[in-house]
Amino acid sequence: MSKDRNDLPPSRPPWPRYGVDAPAFPAVLAVAGTACWLAARRWRPGRTGATAAVTGTVLLANTGIYLHTTLHGKLRIWRRELDLADLKGDERLLDLGCGRGAVLVEAAKRLPRGQAVGVDLWSAKDQSGNRPDVTLANAAAAGVADRVEVRTADMTALPFADASFDVVTSALAIHNIPSPEERYRAVDEAMRVLRPGGQLIVADFWPMARKYAAHLGRGTLRGLGPGYWYGGPWLGVTLFHAVKG
């Protein structure tokens, strides 16, 4: 005798999928690399053909490194950095530019008695398939939907009271703000909503991270290594960590 569909246990949700950062960039790298290789086959065996082959190899290698970082490398590094943050499990954490939840969900796993709040403007240019329902679906797939909240908000004008979070994180988001003044405003807003003793943990390209530290006049900077290269060391990511006094 067959069971009614409503009596069957729910199917296991799919694993979280966090998309690709700035998807147009690796697409352009891949197309350019492929075009160079096709040109090299036409021009071989001369110097021009060799140059095109080398250029194509470099571009395709950069594409592979980029995709590894955005799909795997950054996730491993954020797991490590969140472990180093020594969370107690009852904190309230805010993730700026949360996207599809790569950092937000990993943080929520460490907050069984706390809450992880993500804010974003949901630009698909900055991350493929970037929508709040996708972020919530990823939280559900990871089993942390009960402690995750997402809001549509501008990180330069956060809709939260002063000193309302224990930790503020951000991964490759603040640099997307067009003007330096507004980027500094986002950093100031992050500090405003932190409680005294709270941690600000920001991963961004190294020139930006250095400017955030200089603007606040505090904090430490640490390169995150090849696992967080978006193609090569020239697009390497630095961690900026500051504690609110």
Side-chain angles (χ1 to χ4, degrees):
M1 182 176 177
S2 63
K3 292 185 178 182
D4 185 271
R5 290 175 62 93
N6 293 329
D7 295 331
L8 295 174
S11 60
R12 186 176 180 180
W15 60 87
R17 295 187 176 99
Y18 297 120
V20 174
D21 298 329
F25 190 79
V28 169
L29 284 178
V31 169
T34 301
C36 286
W37 261 105
L38 293 174
R41 293 186 64 182
R42 173 181 296 180
W43 292 330
R44 64 182 184 185
R47 180 179 297 177
T48 302
T51 300
V54 170
T55 302
T57 299
V58 170
L59 290 171
L60 292 174
N62 286 341
T63 304
I65 294 169
Y66 188 109
L67 292 174
H68 178 268
T69 290
T70 194
L71 297 174
H72 303 289
K74 72 175 185 182
L75 303 179
R76 287 198 294 268
I77 288 173
W78 269 104
R79 291 185 196 113
R80 181 190 72 198
E81 296 304 323
L82 289 168
D83 287 342
L84 290 173
D86 195 26
L87 302 176
K88 306 304 180 186
D90 59 355
E91 291 89 348
R92 192 162 186 247
L93 178 145
L94 174 65
D95 187 35
L96 304 178
C98 66
R100 292 170 58 161
V103 177
L104 184 70
V105 169
E106 281 300 322
K109 292 177 182 178
R110 293 158 174 78
L111 301 173
R113 303 176 306 282
Q115 184 185 33
V117 180
V119 296
D120 208 305
L121 294 176
W122 315 110
S123 168
K125 178 181 71 174
D126 298 328
Q127 188 171 69
S128 61
N130 194 14
R131 302 192 311 273
D133 60 301
V134 174
T135 308
L136 293 175
N138 282 334
V144 295
D146 61 321
R147 65 198 81 152
V148 167
E149 176 187 342
V150 296
R151 302 272 294 271
T152 299
D154 186 336
M155 67 180 84
T156 66
L158 294 171
F160 304 110
D162 295 356
S164 52
F165 291 93
D166 301 290
V167 183
V168 176
T169 59
S170 183
L172 273 288
I174 298 176
H175 77 271
N176 290 319
I177 299 173
S179 75
E181 293 78 13
E182 289 185 328
R183 289 194 289 270
Y184 296 146
R185 190 177 307 151
V187 173
D188 290 338
E189 278 288 274
M191 294 300 288
R192 178 184 68 78
V193 301
L194 270 176
R195 296 180 178 126
Q199 300 183 71
L200 174 62
I201 307 171
V202 176
D204 215 328
F205 296 119
W206 70 267
M208 298 294 183
R210 290 174 61 187
K211 290 177 181 178
Y212 308 152
H215 172 70
L216 290 178
R218 70 178 76 182
T220 60
L221 295 164
R222 175 164 47 86
L224 293 175
Y228 224 143
W229 287 355
Y230 282 87
W234 48 88
L235 284 178
V237 175
T238 292
L239 190 82
F240 169 50
H241 179 264
V243 175
K244 184 173 181 177

